Amino acid sequence: MQHSGSVDGALLTRDETRILSWSEDSTMRLWDVATGRQIGPAMEHNGSVRGALLTRDETRILSWSEDKTVRLWDVSWRGPQPLGNCMQPFSAQS
């Protein structure tokens, strides 16, 4: 389990099978605890990711970044991998 920049945070899913991590490399990644392998593609911001939360049902991730956006991601399980699609970016007004 590795990012190309400093890891700023991580959380474990309730069933303890996946880890969500976020980093200064502008990405969030989902990891399989049993294998240590990344699940699906990296979810990218345009700046360091500063934090993330999973919804109760663990199908969505809310993340925020130095790029002045908050993003909502769909990570619902469809087959062996989550989608990891950004559903909605929210930008800070200057």
Side-chain angles (χ1 to χ4, degrees):
M1 295 183 221
Q2 188 169 348
H3 283 268
S4 63
S6 298
V7 175
D8 288 334
L11 56 87
L12 185 64
T13 57
R14 284 190 301 239
D15 63 5
E16 299 183 357
T17 61
R18 293 165 287 162
I19 293 171
L20 172 66
S21 61
W22 54 92
S23 169
E24 289 183 357
D25 68 6
S26 304
T27 68
M28 292 186 306
R29 299 172 190 270
L30 276 174
W31 307 94
D32 181 286
V33 170
T35 66
R37 291 186 177 169
Q38 185 174 319
I39 302 168
M43 294 164 275
E44 297 184 20
H45 273 271
N46 294 318
S48 297
V49 180
R50 290 298 174 210
L53 297 170
L54 275 168
T55 57
R56 285 184 200 251
D57 63 3
E58 298 181 344
T59 62
R60 306 278 189 273
I61 297 169
L62 184 67
S63 61
W64 53 96
S65 168
E66 284 187 355
D67 66 7
K68 300 179 183 176
T69 65
V70 173
R71 296 180 188 217
L72 184 62
W73 305 86
D74 178 0
V75 290
S76 54
W77 293 91
R78 301 209 176 119
Q81 299 200 2
L83 292 178
N85 292 326
C86 181
M87 297 170 51
Q88 182 69 46
F90 303 91
S91 297
Q93 302 250 337
S94 300

